[in-house]
């Protein structure tokens, strides 16, 4: 049997102890809880001791105030409180106190960041925190100076879905699942990291990170894996759990990440908390090391290549935060080459609370700010490094200061232009870091020549492996009107084939260039209709799309055509031009309208389904909801890679992005990407047709579990062994994912019937074996709906619903009648009984342990052929009746609800172990249940020791007065067991 404690939880505690944490294991040691109530998550004595130790000058009143202030933060939400608490932990608080020079405001530290060893690092397992409805008990909680900064949920690597189960528990603790309040958000007011780990794997997030955004930590830089193996004394192999725990919770690293790698961003949907991922943390550390070596062997700069969608802007922000902390009043210059990017980076820094970023308003404003060496953070366009009319193309030196750090976003575009040369002339001693989301050219290597060698790389392959991005597939459509690779005459004849020679001659005067032809209304009519049909038939809500056109003119024609055809709700997002004609100005949105359109688009419930663009939003626009890009524009090299990355962001049930190519870019894809090393871009875009071999292999694997898919009952029964069921589930999901990608392309047609038949088997197996791990998570939105519709049409009520319980006599017996054979009925009954026993086992281990043994013995006889199907059904019916009769008997005793009922049975079975006479048993059981009921209805009875002591005395008294012959030790043991049962049953 899997053992979560031995296989994950205890090794995690050992790991934490080895890296410097004080550890208490409540399975091995009695821990005295210092809290007055379990509704608090802070260990106040430890907090008080730490604040007093770190600020020894505090008087008693201010010590009390500091301890109160971190606990009594009041916000509009738990996230708001988390942000306020983070601010206090990082920036400290101020109190007024006289230290010999009159009353002055003094800074109070909760954490000593400069001397990590002076803090109190304490790890505790099975820490109970009471929520509004339930008590949560995470496997491990990590406290720094009594404040719970980390939550770890451990699972055995041997259970079917350890990651899913651990993340489901973490979201339950946070009240992030649908339904009633079931968690304890109090614990997460302070949370920095939440970790799900199962020894062979581990993922991390923070408060309110969506489940699909929890990510691995693959590199504990600067330590290598072999160093971690030596540190933890492992036998040549490093399970992911060790790397994760070291990377996040080694004390110095934890405080560094709390202080420098954590930001809050305001979005339309509310505030989100963001912490660094491993590639961001690693890149910043490497950049700082490069800075420390400047002027020696290393160049005065370098390149960070992190592929599109991997959080490049946040990496810049984290580096800026570290430089602000480590350097003496540095000047930070953030350079882009497009106004939209300049706006985006400035807004990102502002939203994340970065101190006063200044946007250079003009050439003169930029020069003035750089000349002052004022230690500002400045965002600017590269174009502001231009010469004036009287400078004769010689740009002046603005500062010789070395304490200037230039971060150039999209560095591949600004690497060798005159403006970049001017910037280096202006700031000759600055340190330059080039950030790019696309690979470097294989031949020229201009970016590296300009900025220096790579500081850090995070490739397309790595981001796909981590789930930081999803694969991008592409498909060419309407090949007969592609513009790439065709002569204008041939295309013209295709598009205007219905016109007479005279009409063609007249039209040709107006459409002399490829762009003119691309924007011809007759062509746009065909493409727009195809977009509508593709979007409505192949893109499942909530996913949305972008239409990329050759010009503003084309964008507006697409908008008008889509509207005229009653297409999806769309908006045009183009830039404003002073010389634009009136009909373009009419469609050009204001800045506020652009914001509204983007917000509506990224919102799954927003009305905007398509954004129509020509240049805007092709870089820097982060919209995970976007799954498809309809491309009708010639894009090349970096521009192509940047544009298509709009659809590579992960989103729930999104397993790929899709590029639909109308221009013909994909026809010349190899040439378009030939400037890059093949290894760097081989998975940048994958032709949809290339999925055919994968689909065929996945189909073969999924059907290989069965001899005949039409024999549904035999197929379902063959899945009774759990390991076989797990293998089938994984194969079925992979097949489903690939069908989601290719449907409704004709290549899917040979497999549709088998998909439906496998869906029936999958659904019936989930229902039969009460297997919650058999869900459709990750199958893909499109195919998931198809599967669910098919399963419902088969009368299978599962996937997200509870199976019928044996306790529902009418419905369960009706279900048995609907099954086609005694073999199926016996299978359904044994699994339903097994499920009921497992659900109720902890309530009454004595009784349900006995029932479990009898069931296993009966199943063994059936399998060995010693019982026929009819005999087995009769025996199973007898077991069902016994379980049902216990409930009926207890109800006849006037018990109020199921909790009283199960408690009654549990007490009854404990007493029955003492060979009690039946009459005495019934009498004493009723008395003990009645005694306990007097206390469990009182508020917070489990947190009030005097109430529990009273209960204990009364239970002992009932045992003493009974007619059962018990020794003093037996009475003490029975009293303890009754109290334990009460705590277990009455939450």
């Amino acid at each position: 049997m899997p053992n979560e404690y031995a296989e994950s939880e205890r090794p995690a505690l050992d790991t934490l102890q080895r890296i410097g944490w004080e550890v208490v294991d409540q399975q091995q040691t009695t821990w005295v809880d210092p809290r007055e109530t379990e509704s608090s998550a802070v260990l106040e004595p430890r907090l008080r001791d730490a604040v007093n130790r770190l600020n020894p000058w505090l008087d008693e009143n201010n010590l009390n105030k500091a301890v109160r202030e971190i606990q009594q933060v009041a916000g509009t939400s738990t996230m708001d409180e988390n942000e306020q608490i983070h601010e206090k932990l990082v920036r400290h608080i101020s109190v007024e106190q006289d230290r010999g020079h009159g009353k002055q405001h003094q800074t109070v530290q909760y954490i000593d960041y400069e001397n990590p060893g002076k803090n109190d690092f304490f790890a505790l397992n099975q820490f109970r925190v009471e929520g509004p409805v339930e008590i949560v008990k995470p496997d491990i909680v990590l406290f720094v100076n009594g404040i719970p900064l980390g939550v770890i949920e451990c699972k055995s690597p041997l259970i079917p879905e350890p990651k899913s189960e651990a993340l489901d528990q973490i979201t339950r603790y946070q009240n992030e699942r649908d339904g009633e309040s079931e968690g304890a958000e109090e614990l997460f007011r302070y949370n920095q990291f939440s970790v799900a780990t199962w020894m062979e794997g581990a993922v991390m997030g923070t408060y309110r990170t969506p489940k699909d955004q929890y990510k691995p930590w693959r590199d504990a830089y600067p330590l290598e894996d072999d160093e971690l193996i030596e540190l933890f004394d492992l036998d040549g192999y490093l399970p992911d759990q060790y790397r994760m725990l070291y990377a996040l919770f080694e004390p110095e690293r934890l405080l560094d990440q709390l202080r420098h790698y954590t930001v809050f961003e305001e979005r339309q949907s509310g505030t989100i908390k963001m912490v660094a991922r491993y590639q961001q943390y690693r890149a910043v550390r490497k950049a700082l090391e490069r800075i420390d070596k400047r002027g020696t062997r290393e160049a005065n700069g370098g390149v960070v290549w992190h592929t599109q969608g991997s959080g490049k802007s946040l990496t810049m922000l984290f580096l800026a935060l570290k430089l602000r902390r480590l350097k003496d009043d540095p000047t930070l210059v953030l350079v882009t080459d497009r106004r939209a990017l300049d706006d985006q980076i400035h807004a990102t820094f502002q939203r994340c609370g970065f101190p006063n970023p200044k946007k250079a308003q003009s050439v003169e404003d930029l020069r003035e700010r750089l000349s002052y060496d004022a230690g500002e953070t400045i965002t600017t366009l590269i174009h502001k490094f231009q010469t004036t009319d009287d400078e004769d193309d010689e740009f002046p030196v603005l500062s010789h200061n070395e304490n200037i750090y230039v971060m150039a976003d999209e560095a591949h575009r600004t690497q060798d232009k005159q403006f970049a040369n001017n910037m280096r002339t202006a700031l000759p001693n600055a340190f330059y870091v080039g950030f790019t989301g696309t690979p470097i050219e294989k031949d020229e290597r201009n970016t590296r020549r300009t900025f220096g060698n790579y500081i850090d790389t995070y490739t397309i392959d790595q981001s796909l492996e981590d789930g930081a991005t999803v694969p991008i597939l592409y498909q060419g459509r309407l090949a007969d009107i592609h513009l790439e690779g065709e002569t204008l005459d041939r295309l013209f004849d295709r598009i205007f084939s219905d016109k007479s020679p005279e009409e063609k001659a007249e039209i040709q005067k107006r459409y002399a260039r490829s762009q003119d032809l691309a924007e011809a209304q007759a062509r746009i009519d065909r493409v727009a209709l195809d977009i509508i049909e593709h979007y409505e038939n192949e893109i499942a809500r909530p996913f949305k799309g972008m239409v990329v056109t050759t010009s503003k003119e084309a964008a507006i024609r697409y908008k008008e055509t889509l509207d005229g055809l009653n297409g999806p709700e769309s908006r045009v997002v183009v830039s404003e031009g002073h010389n634009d004609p009136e009909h373009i100005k009419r469609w050009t949105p204001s800045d506020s309208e652009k914001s509204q359109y983007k917000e509506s688009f990224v919102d799954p419930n927003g009305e905007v389904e398509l954004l129509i663009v020509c240049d805007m939003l092709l870089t820097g626009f982060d919209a995970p909801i976007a799954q498809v890009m309809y491309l009708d524009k010639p894009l090349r090299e970096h521009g192509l890679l940047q544009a298509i990355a709009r659809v590579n962001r992960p989103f729930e049930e999104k397993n790929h992005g899709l590029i639909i190519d109308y221009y013909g870019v994909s026809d010349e894809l190899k040439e378009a990407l030939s400037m890059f090393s093949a290894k760097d871009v081989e998975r940048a875009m994958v032709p949809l047709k290339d999925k055919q071999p994968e689909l065929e292999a996945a189909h073969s694997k999924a059907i290989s579990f069965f001899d005949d898919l039409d024999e549904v009952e035999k197929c379902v029964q063959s899945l009774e062994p759990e390991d076989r069921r797990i293998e089938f589930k994984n194969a079925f999901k992979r097949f489903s994912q690939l069908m989601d990608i290719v449907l409704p392309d004709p290549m899917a047609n040979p497999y549709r019937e088998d998909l439906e038949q496998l869906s029936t088997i999958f659904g019936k197996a989930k229902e039969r074996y009460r297997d919650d791990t058999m869900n459709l998570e990750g199958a893909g939105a499109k195919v998931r709906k198809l599967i669910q519709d098919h399963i419902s049409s088969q009368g299978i009520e599962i996937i997200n619903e509870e199976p019928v319980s044996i306790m529902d006599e009418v419905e369960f017996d009706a279900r048995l009648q609907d099954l086609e054979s005694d073999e199926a009925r016996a299978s359904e009954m044994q699994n339903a009984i097994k499920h009921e026993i497992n659900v109720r086992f902890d309530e009454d281990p004595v009784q349900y342990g006995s029932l479990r043994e009898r069931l296993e013995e009966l199943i063994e006889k059936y399998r060995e052929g010693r019982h026929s199907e009819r005999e087995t059904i009769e025996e199973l019916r007898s077991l069902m009746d016994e379980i049902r009769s216990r409930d009926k008997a207890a109800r006849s005793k006037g018990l109020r609800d199921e909790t009283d009922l199960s408690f009654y049975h549990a007490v009854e079975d404990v007493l029955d172990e003492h060979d009690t006479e039946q009459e005495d048993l019934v009498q004493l059981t009723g008395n003990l249940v009645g005694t306990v009921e007097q206390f469990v209805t009182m508020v917070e009875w489990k947190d009030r020791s005097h109430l529990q002591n009273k209960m204990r005395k009364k239970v002992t008294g009932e045992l003493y007065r009974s007619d059962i012959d018990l020794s003093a030790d037996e009475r003490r043991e029975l009293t303890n067991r009754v109290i334990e049962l009460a705590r277990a049953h009455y939450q």
Side-chain angles (χ1 to χ4, degrees):
M1 289 287 289
N3 185 330
E4 175 183 295
Y5 172 78
E7 291 155 4
S8 181
E9 183 179 322
R10 182 63 236 179
L13 292 170
D14 291 340
T15 302
L16 292 165
Q17 190 164 34
R18 194 172 282 240
I19 61 176
W21 290 75
E22 176 191 349
V23 168
V24 167
D25 180 352
Q26 294 203 76
Q27 287 214 28
Q28 298 183 7
T29 307
T30 300
W31 178 70
V32 179
D33 192 337
R35 297 171 296 168
E36 294 181 0
T37 171
E38 289 185 346
S39 60
S40 168
V42 172
L43 302 181
E44 188 171 309
R46 284 180 177 265
L47 171 62
R48 176 178 292 275
D49 289 348
V51 173
N52 195 31
R53 184 175 65 255
L54 299 179
N55 310 275
W57 47 268
L58 273 174
D59 62 30
E60 189 69 17
N61 284 338
N62 278 328
L63 176 60
N64 292 336
K65 179 183 177 183
V67 170
R68 278 197 313 271
E69 189 163 325
I70 198 70
Q71 297 181 81
Q72 296 180 3
V73 167
T76 57
S77 65
T78 303
M79 180 62 81
D80 182 32
E81 292 173 356
N82 189 295
E83 183 174 9
Q84 290 185 52
I85 289 168
H86 180 266
E87 179 81 5
K88 293 178 188 299
L89 293 179
V90 170
R91 297 180 185 270
H92 316 301
I93 66 165
S94 176
V95 297
E96 193 175 50
Q97 184 172 319
D98 187 349
R99 297 180 65 185
H101 307 287
K103 281 196 172 184
Q104 295 179 340
H105 286 282
Q106 308 287 341
T107 298
V108 178
Q109 286 185 308
Y110 289 107
I111 294 173
D112 187 340
Y113 293 95
E114 305 304 327
N115 304 285
K118 291 186 177 180
N119 300 288
D120 170 24
F121 296 91
F122 175 63
L124 176 71
N125 64 344
Q126 306 304 315
F127 179 65
R128 297 162 55 90
V129 183
E130 184 176 359
V133 175
E134 296 182 11
I135 288 177
V136 305
K137 196 166 60 174
D139 289 325
I140 302 174
V141 177
L142 296 99
F143 300 86
V144 177
N145 297 341
I147 300 166
L149 296 185
V151 169
I152 303 173
E153 194 61 30
C154 301
K155 293 295 171 192
S156 164
L158 302 179
I159 66 174
E161 295 282 356
K163 175 182 175 181
S164 180
E165 284 203 25
L167 290 177
D168 196 51
Q169 280 191 254
I170 288 173
T171 52
R172 176 170 67 83
Y173 296 156
Q174 297 182 17
N175 281 332
E176 287 298 302
R177 301 195 309 184
D178 294 334
E180 65 178 344
S181 178
E182 56 185 354
E185 291 183 57
E186 167 67 20
L187 178 61
F188 293 91
R189 298 168 75 225
Y190 310 90
N191 184 257
Q192 172 67 14
F193 290 124
S194 295
V195 170
T197 182
W198 55 100
M199 184 55 77
E200 299 305 318
V203 290
M204 52 76 67
T206 187
Y207 176 55
R208 294 204 71 186
T209 299
K211 282 198 292 188
D212 62 326
Q213 290 297 304
Y214 275 75
K215 298 297 180 222
W217 196 286
R218 299 196 188 279
D219 186 350
Y221 184 86
L223 262 62
E224 300 286 346
D225 280 0
D226 56 356
E227 293 176 278
L228 291 175
I229 288 171
E230 184 178 347
L231 173 65
F232 296 120
D233 197 21
L234 301 173
D235 189 18
Y237 165 65
L238 182 71
D240 289 351
Q241 175 169 302
Y242 288 91
R243 185 189 304 106
M244 177 71 78
L245 296 182
Y246 175 84
L248 296 191
F249 299 119
E250 189 278 326
E252 190 170 341
R253 290 173 69 105
L254 172 60
L255 299 190
D256 187 25
Q257 292 181 82
L258 177 68
R259 197 182 195 191
H260 301 117
Y261 296 87
T262 306
V263 292
F264 294 81
E265 182 173 327
E266 296 294 333
R267 295 186 178 174
Q268 183 191 20
S269 56
T271 302
I272 64 168
K273 183 175 185 176
M274 296 178 290
V275 293
R277 292 178 180 164
Y278 75 91
Q279 74 274 10
Q280 296 167 324
Y281 184 79
R282 181 184 65 200
V284 171
R285 289 195 66 151
K286 285 184 174 182
L288 293 170
E289 290 168 8
R290 181 75 60 86
I291 288 169
D292 288 342
K293 294 175 182 176
R294 66 194 294 191
T296 56
R297 291 174 299 164
E298 296 287 355
N300 211 25
V303 178
V304 174
W305 167 32
H306 283 189
T307 193
Q308 299 285 336
S310 58
K312 190 160 44 72
S313 293
L314 277 182
T315 306
M316 295 173 70
L317 179 61
F318 295 143
L319 177 56
L321 285 167
K322 285 289 285 189
L323 287 169
R324 276 264 167 262
R325 179 78 60 188
L326 296 175
K327 303 300 178 182
D328 184 18
D329 211 16
T331 295
L332 308 179
V333 186
L334 311 175
V335 182
T336 63
D337 68 340
R338 294 183 182 173
R339 193 180 76 177
L341 288 175
D342 187 38
D343 292 344
Q344 179 200 354
I345 288 183
H346 184 268
T348 298
F349 272 56
Q350 270 193 321
R351 283 197 307 269
C352 295
F354 195 85
N356 287 327
K358 302 289 197 313
K359 184 183 289 190
Q361 300 299 323
S362 63
V363 173
E364 292 74 21
D365 182 42
L366 175 63
R367 291 188 179 193
E368 190 173 344
R369 291 183 182 280
L370 292 176
S371 299
Y372 283 158
D373 288 336
E376 292 182 330
T377 299
I378 303 164
T379 67
T380 182
L381 292 170
I382 188 68
H383 311 90
K384 290 187 170 63
F385 286 95
Q386 59 181 275
T387 55
T388 59
D389 293 338
D390 58 352
E391 282 177 337
D392 231 7
D393 288 339
E394 297 238 351
F395 202 87
V397 175
L398 300 177
S399 175
H400 289 283
N401 196 339
E402 292 186 356
N403 202 21
I404 297 176
Y405 301 89
V406 178
M407 300 182 212
D409 194 21
E410 306 301 348
H412 59 273
R413 288 204 303 257
T414 59
Q415 58 198 359
D416 59 355
K417 307 288 173 41
Q418 185 60 47
F419 293 145
N421 291 335
N422 290 347
M423 177 174 67
R424 289 171 180 273
T425 301
L427 308 170
N429 297 321
F431 190 91
Y432 290 86
V433 182
F435 286 83
T436 181
T438 61
I440 306 305
E441 297 88 334
K442 68 178 180 183
D443 296 326
E444 295 296 327
R445 300 284 178 184
N446 287 337
T447 307
R448 285 172 61 187
R449 190 175 65 232
T450 303
F451 285 92
N453 287 327
Y454 284 129
I455 290 173
D456 192 59
T457 63
Y458 184 67
T459 65
I460 294 169
D461 278 358
Q462 288 170 324
S463 72
L464 290 171
E465 184 183 357
D466 291 344
T469 59
V470 298
I472 300 173
L473 306 176
Y474 77 80
Q475 181 182 35
R477 288 172 72 93
L478 303 185
D480 60 326
I481 58 171
H482 279 184
L483 281 95
E484 285 292 310
E486 298 282 355
T487 68
L488 290 182
D489 288 343
R490 288 172 62 192
L491 284 168
F492 186 89
D493 287 340
R494 287 178 184 171
I495 294 170
F496 298 106
S497 59
D498 59 333
K499 303 296 183 183
S500 69
E502 293 78 13
E503 288 173 317
K504 285 183 181 180
E506 185 62 33
I507 293 170
Q508 201 159 21
K509 293 177 184 176
R510 289 183 283 135
Y511 299 114
R513 301 173 305 145
S514 58
Q515 180 171 331
D516 295 327
L517 197 56
E519 297 172 8
Q521 188 61 51
R523 182 176 178 280
I524 286 177
D525 287 343
R526 286 190 63 185
V527 175
L529 182 60
D530 194 68
I531 288 173
I532 292 170
E533 291 175 350
H534 181 273
Y535 185 80
E536 292 181 348
N537 295 329
E538 302 191 28
I539 303 301
R541 267 294 209 168
F543 297 124
K544 303 185 181 185
M546 298 177 71
V547 181
V548 183
T549 68
T550 51
S551 67
K552 297 178 188 179
E553 182 72 50
I556 288 161
R557 287 185 186 175
Y558 268 110
K559 168 63 177 168
E560 292 174 336
T561 306
L562 288 167
D563 286 353
L565 294 170
N566 294 316
E569 194 69 34
S570 64
R571 297 290 185 274
V572 173
V573 179
V574 293
S575 59
E576 182 180 1
H578 296 302
N579 299 320
D580 288 341
E582 282 304 314
H583 74 283
I584 288 181
K585 287 182 178 178
R586 184 165 61 86
W587 284 104
T588 302
S590 64
D591 287 344
S592 63
E593 285 173 330
K594 286 174 191 169
S595 295
Q596 290 170 18
Y597 297 168
K598 289 191 290 184
E599 287 174 359
S600 178
F601 182 77
V602 300
D603 180 358
N605 300 313
E607 65 173 348
V608 178
E609 298 171 277
L610 294 176
L611 287 179
I612 306 170
V613 303
C614 55
D615 290 311
M616 297 192 75
L617 307 187
L618 295 184
T619 59
F621 179 50
D622 194 11
I625 199 79
Q627 183 173 39
V628 62
M629 174 175 284
Y630 299 104
L631 186 60
D632 195 24
K633 178 186 176 90
L635 291 172
R636 285 285 181 272
E637 302 159 355
H638 296 291
L640 178 62
L641 290 177
Q642 287 181 304
I644 65 175
R646 297 317 103 207
V647 297
N648 78 350
R649 275 41 169 190
F651 194 82
E652 186 178 359
E653 294 300 331
K654 175 180 172 183
N655 53 45
H656 69 287
L658 183 61
I659 304 298
I660 300 296
D661 176 25
Y662 294 108
Y663 205 94
V665 171
S666 58
D667 291 346
E668 308 296 330
L669 181 63
K670 288 184 179 177
E671 181 184 335
L673 300 179
S674 62
M675 66 185 294
F676 308 112
S677 297
K679 178 175 172 292
D680 291 341
V681 295
E682 62 185 351
R683 295 176 71 186
M685 283 201 299
V686 178
L688 185 63
K689 64 180 184 295
D690 286 5
K691 288 294 178 182
Q692 172 73 39
E694 284 185 60
L695 177 61
E696 188 174 340
H699 168 260
S700 297
K701 176 68 174 175
I703 64 172
S704 69
F705 290 84
F706 313 110
D707 295 328
D708 184 351
L709 294 183
D710 292 330
E711 296 281 349
V712 173
E713 179 58 34
K714 284 187 178 179
C715 293
V716 171
Q717 291 201 37
S718 75
L719 295 174
E720 182 174 356
E722 187 179 44
D723 56 350
R724 181 177 172 83
R725 206 158 60 241
I726 292 169
E727 286 184 37
F728 167 65
K729 175 190 65 179
N730 292 335
F732 175 74
K733 279 194 176 179
R734 180 58 185 154
F735 176 46
S736 300
Q737 286 172 346
L738 286 162
M739 287 292 282
D740 181 73
I741 289 171
V742 302
L743 277 169
D745 189 276
M747 83 168 74
N749 292 341
Y751 310 106
R752 290 189 69 139
E753 189 175 329
D754 284 353
L755 176 66
E756 292 184 348
Q757 200 68 2
L758 289 167
S759 299
T760 300
I761 295 165
F762 183 88
K764 285 184 177 291
K766 174 180 170 65
E767 185 179 46
R768 174 74 53 82
Y769 302 111
R770 275 68 177 169
D771 190 342
D772 291 335
T773 70
M774 296 185 74
N775 55 58
L776 293 175
E777 276 184 23
K782 191 195 320 173
V783 84
R784 180 174 182 153
K785 184 177 186 307
L786 184 151
I787 292 171
Q788 287 178 319
D789 289 347
H790 173 74
I791 288 175
S792 297
S793 73
Q794 300 297 303
I796 306 169
E797 300 176 4
I798 55 91
I799 295 304
N800 289 317
E801 295 184 15
E802 285 292 317
V804 178
S805 167
I806 63 169
M807 309 311 292
D808 189 337
E809 295 184 39
V810 174
E811 191 169 347
F812 186 79
D813 290 351
R815 177 171 295 279
L816 290 179
Q817 291 303 314
D818 288 340
L819 296 174
E820 65 267 25
S821 66
D822 282 345
E823 185 181 25
R825 292 184 189 99
S827 176
E828 172 67 19
M829 290 173 74
Q830 76 178 47
N831 284 288
I833 293 170
K834 184 188 295 184
H835 177 72
E836 196 69 32
I837 289 172
N838 289 340
V839 167
R840 292 170 174 255
F841 185 83
D842 289 340
E843 300 172 0
D844 192 347
V846 176
Q847 175 64 20
Y848 287 105
S850 171
L851 289 169
R852 178 182 284 171
E853 289 174 8
R854 289 166 56 191
L855 177 64
E856 288 172 353
E857 183 181 351
L858 177 58
I859 292 171
E860 190 64 27
K861 286 180 180 177
Y862 174 54
R863 284 177 178 161
E864 292 174 355
R866 289 185 283 154
H867 272 182
S868 68
E869 285 162 358
R870 292 307 308 163
E871 289 173 321
T872 302
I873 287 173
E874 289 305 314
E875 292 280 358
L876 290 169
R877 174 74 65 183
S878 175
L879 276 178
M880 273 197 318
D881 289 344
E882 188 171 334
I883 295 172
R884 289 168 175 174
S885 65
R886 284 171 60 81
D887 280 8
K888 291 175 183 175
R891 286 193 182 94
S892 70
K893 296 175 173 59
L895 300 176
R896 298 171 304 169
D897 55 30
E898 288 186 10
T899 302
D900 288 342
L901 187 65
S902 62
F903 181 61
Y904 181 96
H905 286 325
V907 174
E908 184 179 48
D909 288 329
V910 165
L911 295 176
D912 200 31
E913 290 178 350
H914 290 269
D915 297 325
T916 312
E917 293 289 335
Q918 185 62 32
E919 187 176 336
D920 294 336
L921 173 67
V922 171
Q923 178 69 39
L924 182 54
T925 301
N927 290 346
L928 291 175
V929 171
T931 297
V932 168
E933 281 186 340
Q934 297 173 28
F935 294 92
V936 296
T937 55
M938 297 182 184
V939 177
E940 295 184 343
W941 70 274
K942 282 191 281 189
D943 295 325
R944 298 162 71 180
S945 56
H946 70 284
L947 288 179
Q948 292 181 48
N949 289 336
K950 281 187 178 181
M951 183 197 297
R952 190 178 298 278
K953 288 178 182 176
K954 289 212 169 192
V955 167
T956 302
E958 289 292 346
L959 292 171
Y960 188 81
R961 288 189 293 273
S962 73
D963 293 332
I964 302 174
D965 186 20
L966 297 168
S967 67
D969 286 342
E970 287 175 323
R971 275 197 299 275
R972 189 178 305 109
E973 181 203 350
L974 277 174
T975 298
N976 288 336
R977 292 185 68 179
V978 169
I979 300 301
E980 287 171 10
L981 287 170
R983 290 187 67 91
H985 282 74
Y986 293 97
Q987 294 292 336

